[in-house]
Amino acid sequence: MVSVINTVDTAHGDMIHDAQMDYYGLHLATCSSDRTVKIFEVKNGTQRLLSTLQGHEGPVWQVAWAHPKYDRLLASCSYDRKVFIWREMDGQWAKVYEYTDHESSVNSVCWAPHELGLMLVCGSSDGGISVLKHKGDNQWEASKINNAHTVGCNAVSWAPAVAPGSLIEPPSAMQQANFTKKFVSGGCDNLIKIWCEKDGHWEEEAKLESHTDWVRDVAWAPSIGLPRSKIASCSQDGRVIIWTCDETTGSKFLPKVLHKFDDVVWHVSWSITGDILAVSGGNNKISLWKEGVNGEWTRISDVGKGQTTNGTSE
Amino acid sequence: MMRGNKPVMINVGSSVNALSLSKDNSKVVIAGRALLKIYNVDETNGFTEHLNLHVGRKQGLNMSCSDVAWSSVDETLVATAATNGAVVAWDLSAPGREKKLAILAEHRRTVTKVSFHNFEANLLISGSQDGTMKLFDLRKRESTSTFQSKADGVRSVQFNPHEYFLFAASFDNGYVQIWDYRRPTGCVNQFIAHKGSVYTLDWHPDADRKMTLATGGRDNMVKVWSFENNKEKEINNVPTMSSVSSVKWRPHHPEQIATVSMMLDFSVNVWHLGRKYVPFAHFEVHKDSPSGIAWKQTDSNYIFSCSKDGNLMMHAMRDASCPADQSVSSGLAFSSCGFIAHSSQTSNTMVRAQSPLGSSSKLPAIFGWKAGMKDMVEIENLPDSPLATAPRTSHFLNAKSKFRIFTSVHYETKPCVDFDDYPDSTSHIFEHMTMKNFIFAARKYILDGASANLTFSELCHYNSEVALDAGLCNVARTWKLLGVFFHKDILLNKSSTKVESGEKLKKLESENKRHSLTVKKDEIHGSQIISNTMNDIDSEHHSDDGRLQIEDYLTDIARGRQSEPDLYMTDDDPGFGYGGITSEAEFLSEHEYSYVPSEAFQQREDIELDAIAKFGHIEPPSGINVDTESEKRILTAHGGRWHEKVVPKTMELSSSPSPPANEDDNISEGVINVRPTLWPAPLDEIKEDIACQQLEYFAEMNDIQTPVVMLLAMSSYPTPVILPIKSETVEHWQSSYLDLLAKNQLWVEHAKVVKLSRVPAVQALSSSSTFTLGCQVCQRRLPSSNPWSCDRRMDGEHQNKAVSCFYCQLPVRGRYTYCQGCSFGGHSSCMAAWIKLCQANRTPIVCKYHCV
């Protein structure tokens, strides 16, 4: 059903921690413990290394592409406590900004929905979460939530921007105020927290408790169709939980355990239409899940390492 | 991210500069500016003070210790290095409080390092800021040799633990020297090891690697050197995160090395040379820079560290945090094209596995990460490694990633024969995931039935077939249903007689057109057909309805067409390139119009104002405030639905006479089936609800394409049907759909949706561009308001940086000649040459402004 169409020789010198496709699915950024970020062009099932970004002084944990309307921007975060913002200009990547205000490894970065403007959220092992706002002319304003998660924050993900008039461009100050700026974070305190900006401050809107070990990843589903909020979270306890919030739940997020895996679950990722969830775990397998009409989640496929052959494997 | 126990620790109250362990590792001596103490170490009791050597009030500068060393041969010998240049030897066995053995004040500047010989208890070497090393014999109480480095200040010096006569020294200028202490005249070997100071060095403790030296420096690097025939060779390196102030090999673990940093980083890291980017173990406990580290020689699971914050600690390896263990070992991404990229940790042995599904598609070779394989042997070499660490090491080293991209293989456009054969199987899901049918349908759907001259039922039939081709049976069925429901409400033309008389003809025409549409749609000229048809309809339409009704105005405005010539588009739109339209008739006769692709936007500015102005006679009902919403209603709801929706409300709320009058107009025009049915048939009553429910069902199933496309198709006719769905919902659907189109780079379809949309926010998108320009000089994006000049052109950067000539690529100083149309330009001479060249070769000129 699902097959490997390509095994990419990333030539990374160490473990790869994250891979992200850009908005159009044409470029791929990978980051690795070897301190580099690599940019690939993926076309017709082949890929070509375009660039290797060097500059981090520690393993690079995550990368994130900005919306293409802000040019080709890539954010990366690293064990070296830094967040870099890279920009491509004429095929050349250059670091345009460096954020160094975290006291420990920065584990996760995520760009806000483009309607909210150019904004980046970073979660760090120092327990803090920073929100960087572009003020124009490569000036960035940081606001920091200290002690968002005790022991550390592992993952952040923005809520999709849904507000009437969201497509008008350029957004005026009035219209920007309409947006609810929200993101979700998961941390080593086994908690998932939802943060909302109110009067320029970030406030904890909700605290979701259910996991029994470190939360490894959170992903807010793209909102297509119904104005319903859906968050997927995965944890070291092996569980993947779908949190939903709509009128029927009374603006409360209700958990539903998708599955309990035997191993740590590293990542959850929504398809762009938000109806298929990909889960990757410690057993090196990806499984795909789809919600049925009755609200039940069914596993539609396992993508395992067994299917990686027919070519010349080592 | 400490997860383990707290280390055994004590705070000694003042900054500690160095530490050294006794021969049996049961005691530790620590030294600082006003500190020299010996502690007993016991894992159960922690650190207990054994002896304070810093006694008496006036100790002088001799006691300001920068380094301390405990002889590994004689338990009683300790040496300290003083900042004033003195080396002090201590005899711990001496009776009484005064235990100084000798004060060797020979260096002129701070002594940075002292080191005992590994076999000769009385031999001591020191290195100083004055650039010399001195070998002391404690029996003579003076130096026996002085080694002139001819380099810079000495940072570190150490005897080789296996080669009796050799010692190594490192310097502030990045050099490392190897000396034979029998030959004080010159070093055996010297080389540049680091950029900037080499703060530290450590000989490998193993006899079989006796000529291996680790150095650490200001350049954040740890380098491992080996020497053969006195020639150095860098065999490995570890790039750490900050300057390395101390390195120590871990005993019995030949590939592991501990480091501490001089500043910024307060952690103690243990690295494994087999995986040099991630620390193998990590202790983050100090509050200030750690100043010294020492492994417990008798049990390599313990490491001591002291810090500027006065803490002395003994860390157990089992308590270390392991960044590699905590790191995410897999990456996962969905692409907008339906690919999944996945990186995962691979086991060291790649197994040739067969796909259980027997997939026969060609797969390229699998690449794994190969570096560091040679170090795998090391795990087996561990002589007496405790159980806790061996698996961890192997686990740590096994970290490699494989990176793959997945997609569905079984994608075939299999048209399903039967409507009931709704393939809610996995293959359907993967087709959905790859979005191939989404793209197929997005390309093929006809949204604007009026301009394609298709009646609504024909449009529904066509789109239903498109959906079938795309394998979306449910969608196809819904299209059919819509056609049945609304074919009487949604008319191609206002005048019903027109429709009836021309029905047959049109059907034939549209049959032909459908062929041409499907064939030519992707070609550029396909649009001509559509626009020609549009012209036909419009001209007929306008000639028939000479006395234009308000709805006609509205319809035209909403479709971006106005009969007022002065409000018509200005000729600055480059897509048109002609001006001076004086009348609509002339405009319609213009053939250039047919070159505008169907998705092209027509000027839509001031729609609302105009609409309001035209509706001037409709006073806002007294009960309703004039807000944007009521304006929207006027704008978006018109034609048949306008009456059905707005008019009854206004009638309820106010006694404004205009809307009913309007309705009368319609009736008097003889429009059949357009006017609201007063006693509707049962189907007519519920059909809108059914349609709404169906569309909402699709939206709930995450198929956003179907509801958006259906709504657009229903509203694109002169007599549209607007389903009672909240405008916020419609906007949300449309914006979601537009985002998906953009992600799949379906710009033409994107533009069509924006054009047909009746949501003001979506319509506003037509005024924004999908591409941006950057300034050549400052690389900033040009403002969308005037994208021809950088708003920072007056800055110094712009003034000083010359723009390069497009022809010779050299910077232009002085006069810059350029075409005002295309803005290409350069040196006057180059431009002249270019023009000549073009004329000579008869090259077609790209720029239409005939600049050349």
Side-chain angles (χ1 to χ4, degrees), chain B residues 418-463:
Chain B
D418 191 7
F419 271 161
D420 295 314
D421 183 21
Y422 179 57
D424 195 9
S425 63
T426 46
S427 72
H428 175 71
I429 288 156
F430 287 109
E431 282 165 26
H432 173 69
M433 207 173 76
T434 55
M435 301 203 74
K436 275 194 176 167
N437 41 27
F438 172 89
I439 296 166
F440 175 81
R443 288 213 172 109
K444 292 286 181 193
Y445 276 148
I446 294 179
L447 308 182
D448 193 355
S451 45
N453 201 16
L454 294 171
T455 62
F456 188 66
S457 58
E458 284 170 339
L459 177 89
C460 287
H461 180 72
Y462 172 81
N463 284 344

Short mmCIF file of all heavy atoms in Angstrom, two decimals, chain B residues 418-463:
data_model
loop_
_atom_site.label_atom_id
_atom_site.label_comp_id
_atom_site.label_asym_id
_atom_site.label_seq_id
_atom_site.Cartn_x
_atom_site.Cartn_y
_atom_site.Cartn_z
N ASP B 418 -19.99 1.83 -10.43
CA ASP B 418 -21.28 1.95 -9.77
C ASP B 418 -21.19 2.97 -8.66
O ASP B 418 -20.20 3.04 -7.93
CB ASP B 418 -21.68 0.58 -9.20
CG ASP B 418 -23.10 0.56 -8.74
OD1 ASP B 418 -23.80 1.57 -8.99
OD2 ASP B 418 -23.50 -0.43 -8.13
N PHE B 419 -22.20 3.71 -8.54
CA PHE B 419 -22.21 4.71 -7.49
C PHE B 419 -22.13 4.07 -6.10
O PHE B 419 -21.56 4.63 -5.19
CB PHE B 419 -23.49 5.54 -7.57
CG PHE B 419 -23.35 6.72 -8.46
CD1 PHE B 419 -24.46 7.36 -8.96
CD2 PHE B 419 -22.11 7.21 -8.79
CE1 PHE B 419 -24.33 8.45 -9.78
CE2 PHE B 419 -21.97 8.30 -9.61
CZ PHE B 419 -23.09 8.92 -10.11
N ASP B 420 -22.72 2.91 -5.98
CA ASP B 420 -22.75 2.28 -4.67
C ASP B 420 -21.41 1.68 -4.28
O ASP B 420 -21.18 1.32 -3.15
CB ASP B 420 -23.83 1.21 -4.61
CG ASP B 420 -25.21 1.82 -4.76
OD1 ASP B 420 -25.46 2.84 -4.08
OD2 ASP B 420 -26.00 1.29 -5.55
N ASP B 421 -20.57 1.61 -5.26
CA ASP B 421 -19.25 1.04 -5.01
C ASP B 421 -18.34 2.12 -4.44
O ASP B 421 -17.35 2.51 -5.04
CB ASP B 421 -18.69 0.49 -6.32
CG ASP B 421 -17.36 -0.19 -6.12
OD1 ASP B 421 -17.06 -0.59 -4.99
OD2 ASP B 421 -16.63 -0.28 -7.11
N TYR B 422 -18.74 2.63 -3.34
CA TYR B 422 -17.93 3.69 -2.74
C TYR B 422 -16.71 3.08 -2.06
O TYR B 422 -16.84 2.35 -1.08
CB TYR B 422 -18.76 4.48 -1.73
CG TYR B 422 -18.00 5.56 -1.05
CD1 TYR B 422 -17.38 6.55 -1.79
CD2 TYR B 422 -17.86 5.58 0.33
CE1 TYR B 422 -16.67 7.55 -1.16
CE2 TYR B 422 -17.16 6.56 0.96
CZ TYR B 422 -16.57 7.55 0.20
OH TYR B 422 -15.85 8.53 0.82
N PRO B 423 -15.55 3.32 -2.61
CA PRO B 423 -14.39 2.60 -2.12
C PRO B 423 -13.80 3.24 -0.86
O PRO B 423 -12.83 3.97 -0.92
CB PRO B 423 -13.43 2.67 -3.28
CG PRO B 423 -13.78 3.92 -4.01
CD PRO B 423 -15.20 4.26 -3.66
N ASP B 424 -14.44 2.96 0.23
CA ASP B 424 -13.88 3.49 1.47
C ASP B 424 -12.80 2.53 1.98
O ASP B 424 -12.79 2.12 3.12
CB ASP B 424 -14.99 3.66 2.51
CG ASP B 424 -14.52 4.53 3.65
OD1 ASP B 424 -13.43 5.12 3.53
OD2 ASP B 424 -15.23 4.61 4.65
N SER B 425 -11.93 2.21 1.12
CA SER B 425 -10.87 1.28 1.49
C SER B 425 -9.58 2.07 1.66
O SER B 425 -9.55 3.28 1.50
CB SER B 425 -10.69 0.25 0.39
OG SER B 425 -10.27 0.92 -0.78
N THR B 426 -8.58 1.36 2.01
CA THR B 426 -7.33 2.07 2.26
C THR B 426 -6.77 2.69 1.00
O THR B 426 -6.18 3.74 1.05
CB THR B 426 -6.30 1.12 2.87
OG1 THR B 426 -6.32 -0.07 2.11
CG2 THR B 426 -6.59 0.86 4.31
N SER B 427 -6.99 2.02 -0.13
CA SER B 427 -6.42 2.60 -1.35
C SER B 427 -7.02 3.98 -1.59
O SER B 427 -6.34 4.90 -2.01
CB SER B 427 -6.70 1.69 -2.54
OG SER B 427 -8.06 1.76 -2.88
N HIS B 428 -8.30 4.08 -1.25
CA HIS B 428 -8.93 5.38 -1.41
C HIS B 428 -8.24 6.41 -0.51
O HIS B 428 -7.99 7.53 -0.91
CB HIS B 428 -10.40 5.26 -1.02
CG HIS B 428 -11.10 6.58 -1.03
ND1 HIS B 428 -11.38 7.24 -2.19
CD2 HIS B 428 -11.53 7.36 -0.01
CE1 HIS B 428 -11.99 8.37 -1.89
NE2 HIS B 428 -12.09 8.48 -0.58
N ILE B 429 -7.91 5.96 0.67
CA ILE B 429 -7.29 6.90 1.60
C ILE B 429 -5.94 7.37 1.09
O ILE B 429 -5.59 8.53 1.20
CB ILE B 429 -7.18 6.24 2.98
CG1 ILE B 429 -8.57 6.14 3.58
CG2 ILE B 429 -6.27 7.03 3.89
CD1 ILE B 429 -8.73 5.07 4.60
N PHE B 430 -5.24 6.45 0.48
CA PHE B 430 -3.93 6.87 0.01
C PHE B 430 -4.02 7.76 -1.21
O PHE B 430 -3.21 8.66 -1.38
CB PHE B 430 -3.03 5.66 -0.23
CG PHE B 430 -2.59 5.09 1.05
CD1 PHE B 430 -3.08 3.89 1.50
CD2 PHE B 430 -1.75 5.81 1.87
CE1 PHE B 430 -2.72 3.40 2.72
CE2 PHE B 430 -1.39 5.33 3.11
CZ PHE B 430 -1.88 4.10 3.53
N GLU B 431 -5.02 7.47 -2.03
CA GLU B 431 -5.22 8.40 -3.13
C GLU B 431 -5.54 9.77 -2.57
O GLU B 431 -5.08 10.79 -3.06
CB GLU B 431 -6.37 7.90 -4.01
CG GLU B 431 -5.94 6.78 -4.92
CD GLU B 431 -7.12 6.06 -5.51
OE1 GLU B 431 -8.17 6.68 -5.64
OE2 GLU B 431 -6.96 4.88 -5.84
N HIS B 432 -6.33 9.73 -1.52
CA HIS B 432 -6.67 10.99 -0.88
C HIS B 432 -5.42 11.66 -0.33
O HIS B 432 -5.24 12.86 -0.45
CB HIS B 432 -7.66 10.70 0.24
CG HIS B 432 -7.96 11.88 1.08
ND1 HIS B 432 -8.66 12.96 0.61
CD2 HIS B 432 -7.62 12.18 2.35
CE1 HIS B 432 -8.75 13.86 1.56
NE2 HIS B 432 -8.13 13.42 2.62
N MET B 433 -4.54 10.84 0.24
CA MET B 433 -3.35 11.40 0.86
C MET B 433 -2.42 12.00 -0.16
O MET B 433 -1.84 13.05 0.05
CB MET B 433 -2.63 10.30 1.63
CG MET B 433 -1.82 10.79 2.77
SD MET B 433 -1.21 9.39 3.66
CE MET B 433 0.09 8.85 2.60
N THR B 434 -2.27 11.33 -1.26
CA THR B 434 -1.36 11.87 -2.27
C THR B 434 -1.99 13.06 -2.97
O THR B 434 -1.33 13.76 -3.70
CB THR B 434 -1.00 10.81 -3.31
OG1 THR B 434 -2.21 10.31 -3.85
CG2 THR B 434 -0.21 9.68 -2.72
N MET B 435 -3.28 13.24 -2.79
CA MET B 435 -3.98 14.40 -3.32
C MET B 435 -3.99 14.42 -4.84
O MET B 435 -4.20 15.45 -5.45
CB MET B 435 -3.35 15.69 -2.80
CG MET B 435 -3.40 15.76 -1.29
SD MET B 435 -3.33 17.42 -0.67
CE MET B 435 -4.93 18.05 -1.04
N LYS B 436 -3.75 13.26 -5.43
CA LYS B 436 -3.74 13.25 -6.90
C LYS B 436 -5.12 13.53 -7.43
O LYS B 436 -5.29 14.25 -8.39
CB LYS B 436 -3.22 11.91 -7.41
CG LYS B 436 -1.71 11.89 -7.47
CD LYS B 436 -1.18 10.74 -8.27
CE LYS B 436 0.34 10.85 -8.35
NZ LYS B 436 0.95 9.64 -8.84
N ASN B 437 -6.13 12.92 -6.76
CA ASN B 437 -7.47 13.17 -7.28
C ASN B 437 -7.95 14.57 -6.93
O ASN B 437 -8.74 15.15 -7.65
CB ASN B 437 -8.46 12.10 -6.81
CG ASN B 437 -8.24 11.73 -5.39
OD1 ASN B 437 -7.74 12.54 -4.62
ND2 ASN B 437 -8.59 10.51 -5.02
N PHE B 438 -7.42 15.07 -5.84
CA PHE B 438 -7.71 16.47 -5.50
C PHE B 438 -7.23 17.39 -6.61
O PHE B 438 -7.95 18.25 -7.10
CB PHE B 438 -7.04 16.82 -4.17
CG PHE B 438 -7.11 18.27 -3.81
CD1 PHE B 438 -8.18 18.76 -3.08
CD2 PHE B 438 -6.10 19.15 -4.19
CE1 PHE B 438 -8.25 20.10 -2.74
CE2 PHE B 438 -6.17 20.49 -3.86
CZ PHE B 438 -7.24 20.96 -3.14
N ILE B 439 -5.99 17.17 -7.03
CA ILE B 439 -5.41 18.02 -8.06
C ILE B 439 -6.14 17.81 -9.39
O ILE B 439 -6.48 18.76 -10.10
CB ILE B 439 -3.91 17.72 -8.20
CG1 ILE B 439 -3.20 18.09 -6.91
CG2 ILE B 439 -3.32 18.46 -9.38
CD1 ILE B 439 -1.81 17.55 -6.80
N PHE B 440 -6.42 16.52 -9.67
CA PHE B 440 -7.12 16.20 -10.90
C PHE B 440 -8.45 16.93 -10.95
O PHE B 440 -8.78 17.62 -11.92
CB PHE B 440 -7.32 14.68 -10.96
CG PHE B 440 -8.15 14.21 -12.12
CD1 PHE B 440 -7.55 14.07 -13.37
CD2 PHE B 440 -9.47 13.91 -11.97
CE1 PHE B 440 -8.30 13.65 -14.44
CE2 PHE B 440 -10.23 13.49 -13.04
CZ PHE B 440 -9.64 13.35 -14.29
N ALA B 441 -9.19 16.81 -9.86
CA ALA B 441 -10.51 17.42 -9.83
C ALA B 441 -10.42 18.94 -9.83
O ALA B 441 -11.18 19.62 -10.52
CB ALA B 441 -11.27 16.94 -8.59
N ALA B 442 -9.45 19.46 -9.10
CA ALA B 442 -9.31 20.91 -9.05
C ALA B 442 -9.05 21.46 -10.45
O ALA B 442 -9.56 22.52 -10.81
CB ALA B 442 -8.17 21.29 -8.11
N ARG B 443 -8.28 20.72 -11.23
CA ARG B 443 -7.97 21.18 -12.58
C ARG B 443 -9.16 21.06 -13.51
O ARG B 443 -9.36 21.88 -14.39
CB ARG B 443 -6.81 20.35 -13.15
CG ARG B 443 -5.49 20.69 -12.51
CD ARG B 443 -4.38 20.54 -13.54
NE ARG B 443 -3.13 21.03 -13.00
CZ ARG B 443 -2.11 20.24 -12.68
NH1 ARG B 443 -2.20 18.95 -12.89
NH2 ARG B 443 -1.01 20.75 -12.20
N LYS B 444 -9.93 19.99 -13.32
CA LYS B 444 -10.96 19.68 -14.30
C LYS B 444 -12.31 20.34 -14.03
O LYS B 444 -13.08 20.55 -14.94
CB LYS B 444 -11.16 18.14 -14.37
CG LYS B 444 -9.96 17.41 -14.94
CD LYS B 444 -9.86 17.61 -16.44
CE LYS B 444 -8.67 16.83 -16.98
NZ LYS B 444 -8.31 17.22 -18.35
N TYR B 445 -12.58 20.60 -12.78
CA TYR B 445 -13.90 21.15 -12.45
C TYR B 445 -14.13 22.46 -13.20
O TYR B 445 -13.24 23.29 -13.32
CB TYR B 445 -13.99 21.44 -10.95
CG TYR B 445 -14.39 20.26 -10.10
CD1 TYR B 445 -13.90 20.13 -8.79
CD2 TYR B 445 -15.25 19.29 -10.57
CE1 TYR B 445 -14.25 19.06 -8.00
CE2 TYR B 445 -15.61 18.21 -9.76
CZ TYR B 445 -15.10 18.09 -8.50
OH TYR B 445 -15.44 17.04 -7.71
N ILE B 446 -15.35 22.62 -13.64
CA ILE B 446 -15.75 23.92 -14.18
C ILE B 446 -16.56 24.60 -13.09
O ILE B 446 -17.55 24.06 -12.59
CB ILE B 446 -16.57 23.77 -15.46
CG1 ILE B 446 -15.67 23.18 -16.55
CG2 ILE B 446 -17.12 25.11 -15.90
CD1 ILE B 446 -16.38 22.97 -17.85
N LEU B 447 -16.11 25.75 -12.68
CA LEU B 447 -16.79 26.45 -11.61
C LEU B 447 -17.76 27.48 -12.15
O LEU B 447 -18.82 27.69 -11.61
CB LEU B 447 -15.77 27.14 -10.71
CG LEU B 447 -14.63 26.29 -10.18
CD1 LEU B 447 -13.75 27.11 -9.27
CD2 LEU B 447 -15.19 25.10 -9.43
N ASP B 448 -17.32 28.13 -13.19
CA ASP B 448 -18.10 29.24 -13.70
C ASP B 448 -18.93 28.76 -14.88
O ASP B 448 -18.54 28.87 -16.03
CB ASP B 448 -17.16 30.37 -14.11
CG ASP B 448 -17.92 31.65 -14.35
OD1 ASP B 448 -19.15 31.61 -14.29
OD2 ASP B 448 -17.27 32.67 -14.61
N GLY B 449 -20.09 28.19 -14.57
CA GLY B 449 -20.92 27.63 -15.61
C GLY B 449 -21.43 28.68 -16.58
O GLY B 449 -21.58 28.42 -17.77
N ALA B 450 -21.66 29.86 -16.08
CA ALA B 450 -22.21 30.90 -16.92
C ALA B 450 -21.23 31.28 -18.03
O ALA B 450 -21.59 31.39 -19.19
CB ALA B 450 -22.55 32.12 -16.08
N SER B 451 -19.95 31.43 -17.67
CA SER B 451 -19.01 31.83 -18.70
C SER B 451 -18.65 30.66 -19.60
O SER B 451 -18.21 30.87 -20.72
CB SER B 451 -17.77 32.46 -18.07
OG SER B 451 -17.35 31.69 -16.99
N ALA B 452 -18.82 29.42 -19.12
CA ALA B 452 -18.59 28.28 -19.98
C ALA B 452 -19.83 27.95 -20.79
O ALA B 452 -19.83 27.01 -21.57
CB ALA B 452 -18.17 27.07 -19.16
N ASN B 453 -20.90 28.71 -20.58
CA ASN B 453 -22.17 28.53 -21.29
C ASN B 453 -22.74 27.14 -21.08
O ASN B 453 -23.19 26.48 -22.01
CB ASN B 453 -21.98 28.82 -22.77
CG ASN B 453 -23.32 29.14 -23.43
OD1 ASN B 453 -24.29 29.42 -22.73
ND2 ASN B 453 -23.34 29.10 -24.73
N LEU B 454 -22.68 26.70 -19.87
CA LEU B 454 -23.29 25.41 -19.53
C LEU B 454 -24.46 25.68 -18.60
O LEU B 454 -24.33 26.51 -17.69
CB LEU B 454 -22.28 24.52 -18.81
CG LEU B 454 -21.07 24.05 -19.59
CD1 LEU B 454 -20.09 23.38 -18.65
CD2 LEU B 454 -21.48 23.09 -20.68
N THR B 455 -25.54 25.01 -18.85
CA THR B 455 -26.62 25.14 -17.89
C THR B 455 -26.21 24.44 -16.62
O THR B 455 -25.26 23.64 -16.60
CB THR B 455 -27.91 24.50 -18.41
OG1 THR B 455 -27.65 23.11 -18.58
CG2 THR B 455 -28.33 25.12 -19.72
N PHE B 456 -26.94 24.71 -15.57
CA PHE B 456 -26.50 24.16 -14.29
C PHE B 456 -26.51 22.64 -14.29
O PHE B 456 -25.59 22.00 -13.77
CB PHE B 456 -27.37 24.69 -13.15
CG PHE B 456 -26.85 24.32 -11.80
CD1 PHE B 456 -25.64 24.83 -11.37
CD2 PHE B 456 -27.54 23.44 -11.00
CE1 PHE B 456 -25.14 24.47 -10.13
CE2 PHE B 456 -27.02 23.07 -9.76
CZ PHE B 456 -25.83 23.59 -9.33
N SER B 457 -27.52 22.07 -14.93
CA SER B 457 -27.55 20.61 -14.93
C SER B 457 -26.41 20.05 -15.78
O SER B 457 -25.83 19.02 -15.45
CB SER B 457 -28.90 20.10 -15.42
OG SER B 457 -29.16 20.60 -16.71
N GLU B 458 -26.08 20.74 -16.84
CA GLU B 458 -24.94 20.30 -17.66
C GLU B 458 -23.64 20.41 -16.87
O GLU B 458 -22.79 19.52 -16.92
CB GLU B 458 -24.85 21.15 -18.93
CG GLU B 458 -25.90 20.78 -19.95
CD GLU B 458 -25.95 21.79 -21.08
OE1 GLU B 458 -25.50 22.92 -20.90
OE2 GLU B 458 -26.45 21.43 -22.14
N LEU B 459 -23.54 21.52 -16.16
CA LEU B 459 -22.33 21.71 -15.34
C LEU B 459 -22.22 20.62 -14.29
O LEU B 459 -21.17 20.02 -14.09
CB LEU B 459 -22.41 23.08 -14.65
CG LEU B 459 -21.26 23.41 -13.70
CD1 LEU B 459 -20.15 24.07 -14.46
CD2 LEU B 459 -21.73 24.29 -12.57
N CYS B 460 -23.35 20.33 -13.67
CA CYS B 460 -23.33 19.30 -12.64
C CYS B 460 -22.98 17.94 -13.26
O CYS B 460 -22.23 17.16 -12.68
CB CYS B 460 -24.68 19.21 -11.95
SG CYS B 460 -24.97 20.59 -10.85
N HIS B 461 -23.53 17.71 -14.43
CA HIS B 461 -23.23 16.46 -15.11
C HIS B 461 -21.74 16.35 -15.42
O HIS B 461 -21.09 15.34 -15.17
CB HIS B 461 -24.05 16.35 -16.39
CG HIS B 461 -23.81 15.09 -17.14
ND1 HIS B 461 -24.28 13.87 -16.70
CD2 HIS B 461 -23.12 14.85 -18.27
CE1 HIS B 461 -23.89 12.93 -17.53
NE2 HIS B 461 -23.18 13.49 -18.50
N TYR B 462 -21.21 17.45 -15.96
CA TYR B 462 -19.79 17.44 -16.31
C TYR B 462 -18.94 17.23 -15.06
O TYR B 462 -18.06 16.36 -15.02
CB TYR B 462 -19.42 18.77 -16.98
CG TYR B 462 -17.94 18.92 -17.19
CD1 TYR B 462 -17.31 18.31 -18.28
CD2 TYR B 462 -17.15 19.63 -16.29
CE1 TYR B 462 -15.96 18.42 -18.45
CE2 TYR B 462 -15.80 19.73 -16.46
CZ TYR B 462 -15.20 19.13 -17.55
OH TYR B 462 -13.85 19.22 -17.72
N ASN B 463 -19.23 18.02 -14.02
CA ASN B 463 -18.42 17.93 -12.81
C ASN B 463 -18.57 16.57 -12.13
O ASN B 463 -17.64 16.06 -11.52
CB ASN B 463 -18.80 19.05 -11.84
CG ASN B 463 -18.21 20.37 -12.29
OD1 ASN B 463 -17.31 20.40 -13.13
ND2 ASN B 463 -18.71 21.46 -11.74
#
